Amino acid sequence: MSIKAVLFDIDGTLVDSNDLHVLAWQEAFAAVGAKFDRQRIHDQIGKGTDMLVPALLPYADAATQEALGEAHGAIFKAKFIDRVRPFHRAHDLLAHARSLGQRVALASSAAKAELDHYLDLLDARELVEVTTSSDDVRQTKPAPDIFATALSKLIDVDPSEAFVVGDTPYDVEAALKAGIAAIAVRSGKFSDDVLRQAGAAAVYNDAAALLAHYGSSPLGR
């Protein structure tokens, strides 16, 4: 069965932002007296606020979670978002999928404002058919909502006809829960073991490597 649609994560997959999110989260947590080293925060990157905060502060109430998420967003926007750059050939990867007749979606745990920023950064507005952000769902990754919602917008595409491309185990887990197979890239700085244990069908170095091997990848079926 040919692949009709590819659902791309953004942070760590198409744009080099994971380390910057770590710094923003570290500052947000420090403001409430919670100190975590960068690796511990990195290991949760890929989740939205609703999943990330409880993983690090399991006793935080809903108001604290919301406040931390708002603080992270404000810090990231003020200090870091302008430092984010696309990964090499990320735009070309989206364009190649589209040129093959595959429908392209962006599905991110980020807020809609960040997703919109990245659409312009990637020069991808004419390539992307649908988008889904944390604003559109009740739960973020590793819950399936982000990818399930994106797929529902791609009318007449069965989960078996789609693939997810992401950089974290949470992308892979969320995809599989939605019935969609997933490819992982190493650009988010998660190990191959972690990505494969989550269920990744294949692992590539980055967007450029996936593009170079697209025809022989699961996306080229």
Side-chain angles (χ1 to χ4, degrees):
M1 183 178 295
S2 63
I3 301 303
K4 293 183 178 180
V6 187
L7 286 61
F8 290 91
D9 171 63
I10 304 175
D11 288 293
T13 301
L14 299 174
V15 303
D16 190 4
S17 58
N18 282 9
D19 289 343
L20 299 174
H21 277 293
V22 169
L23 294 175
W25 275 116
Q26 192 172 43
E27 185 172 337
F29 280 120
V32 298
K35 296 184 178 180
F36 301 104
D37 63 39
R38 292 180 186 179
Q39 186 60 50
R40 189 170 176 193
I41 296 173
H42 171 271
D43 290 346
Q44 301 301 320
I45 293 297
K47 298 178 178 180
T49 296
D50 63 316
M51 297 291 190
L52 186 150
V53 173
L56 294 173
L57 288 181
Y59 302 112
D61 59 23
T64 300
Q65 290 182 32
E66 184 177 355
L68 281 166
E70 290 176 354
H72 163 265
I75 293 165
F76 186 75
K77 181 179 179 180
K79 295 186 176 183
F80 299 114
I81 197 167
D82 289 337
R83 292 167 55 182
V84 176
R85 296 292 179 268
F87 283 116
H88 179 53
R89 304 212 71 185
H91 168 90
D92 297 339
L93 177 60
L94 301 178
H96 183 69
R98 185 65 181 267
S99 75
L100 296 176
Q102 294 172 329
R103 301 166 73 182
V104 174
L106 298 188
S108 173
S109 288
K112 185 178 186 301
E114 287 179 28
L115 191 152
D116 285 343
H117 175 82
Y118 294 143
L119 275 170
D120 291 330
L121 188 67
L122 291 160
D123 189 22
R125 289 193 179 274
E126 294 185 0
L127 302 174
V128 174
E129 183 173 338
V130 304
T131 65
T132 302
S133 71
S134 61
D135 296 1
D136 300 317
V137 299
R138 294 185 63 183
Q139 289 185 301
T140 63
K141 305 165 189 173
D145 304 27
I146 295 274
F147 293 127
T149 299
L151 191 67
S152 72
K153 296 178 181 180
L154 294 167
I155 299 169
D156 296 329
V157 177
D158 187 83
S160 65
E161 300 172 319
F163 243 94
V164 162
V165 178
D167 68 297
T168 76
Y170 314 117
D171 293 316
V172 177
E173 291 170 20
L176 295 180
K177 289 175 184 175
I180 310 169
I183 285 173
V185 289
R186 301 183 183 99
S187 47
K189 300 181 181 177
F190 285 85
S191 71
D192 283 23
D193 284 346
V194 166
L195 296 170
R196 289 192 182 279
Q197 286 172 12
V203 180
Y204 294 86
N205 205 47
D206 52 20
L210 177 55
L211 176 61
H213 299 282
Y214 205 94
S216 60
S217 79
L219 302 181
R221 293 208 305 250

